[in-house]
Amino acid sequence: MTLYQAAASRPASQFTTMDVIAVVAGSLLLTLSAKVQVPFYPVPMTMQTLVVIGLGLALGPVRGAAAVALYLLQGALGLPVFAGTPEKGIGLAYMMGPTGGYLLGYLPAALLAGWLAERGWDRNPLSAMAAALLAGAVIYVPGLLWLGSVIGFDKPVLAFGLYPFIPGDIAKAVLAAIAFPAAWKWLSHKGMN
């Protein structure tokens, strides 16, 4: 059971209007997270990966991935939903750029986070942090492969596309480790769990 299912008192097999609203709201939250930059060392960070992982943890694999897929579809259609858009381009042209692989990695990350949430990984701080770190790591697989194909594998791909983001990913995992167990505790206190 996910947070969403517990709060909505709804089994996983039903898909209702409320689920559609949750998916659309998730895609909008992902858009907002792409537009806000947080000063961080060594590079500023957006909260996109935290929201992607959070959507999976909160909504489960199907609804979380649906929210991410809707976000990607909006971007592919030319809506300025991605970080740096419209200044850095829009639509498929933007998605074919150096960050395209990371964007594609959002789908398996949301699926994995949701799958782990269904198994209770979001209910205590250590497993919630592990779930966030694992789901975040999934984003790097297509991200680094795509980045290397765009800029060339003769370049320092890991130095450009991985190492600077590790501290931010750890900070986001800590936030997930605090937020999700607290949300479960609150639901339990309200008798919704």
Side-chain angles (χ1 to χ4, degrees):
M1 176 177 285
T2 64
L3 278 170
Y4 174 75
Q5 291 165 336
S9 300
R10 160 171 303 118
S13 61
Q14 292 180 337
F15 206 82
T16 65
T17 303
M18 190 65 182
D19 297 327
V20 173
I21 292 168
V23 166
V24 171
S27 75
L28 295 175
L29 181 61
L30 195 45
T31 299
L32 289 174
S33 72
K35 300 300 181 179
V36 176
Q37 281 201 352
V38 177
F40 200 77
Y41 178 82
V43 293
M45 68 176 172
T46 67
M47 300 308 278
Q48 282 174 285
T49 55
L50 177 62
V51 171
V52 165
I53 293 163
L55 289 172
L57 290 174
L59 300 178
V62 173
R63 291 170 185 88
V68 171
L70 179 58
Y71 168 76
L72 294 174
L73 176 64
Q74 292 164 348
L77 292 174
L79 296 174
V81 297
F82 302 132
T85 57
E87 302 82 21
K88 294 181 180 176
I90 57 171
L92 291 176
Y94 180 92
M95 295 177 83
M96 298 303 287
T99 60
Y102 298 98
L103 293 171
L104 291 177
Y106 288 175
L107 278 170
L111 285 167
L112 177 59
W115 185 81
L116 293 171
E118 286 182 336
R119 281 143 187 82
W121 283 48
D122 60 338
R123 295 184 186 215
N124 78 62
L126 288 178
S127 60
M129 184 164 179
L133 289 172
L134 286 170
V138 166
I139 295 169
Y140 286 104
V141 175
L144 292 169
L145 290 172
W146 187 275
L147 179 63
S149 69
V150 170
I151 67 169
F153 286 102
D154 59 325
K155 306 284 191 302
V157 174
L158 296 177
F160 292 157
L162 174 66
Y163 302 146
F165 303 100
I166 291 174
D169 288 346
I170 292 169
K172 293 172 193 178
V174 168
L175 288 173
I178 293 167
F180 283 90
W184 275 109
K185 188 174 182 179
W186 181 82
L187 282 178
S188 181
H189 178 71
K190 295 289 183 185
M192 300 171 82
N193 165 347

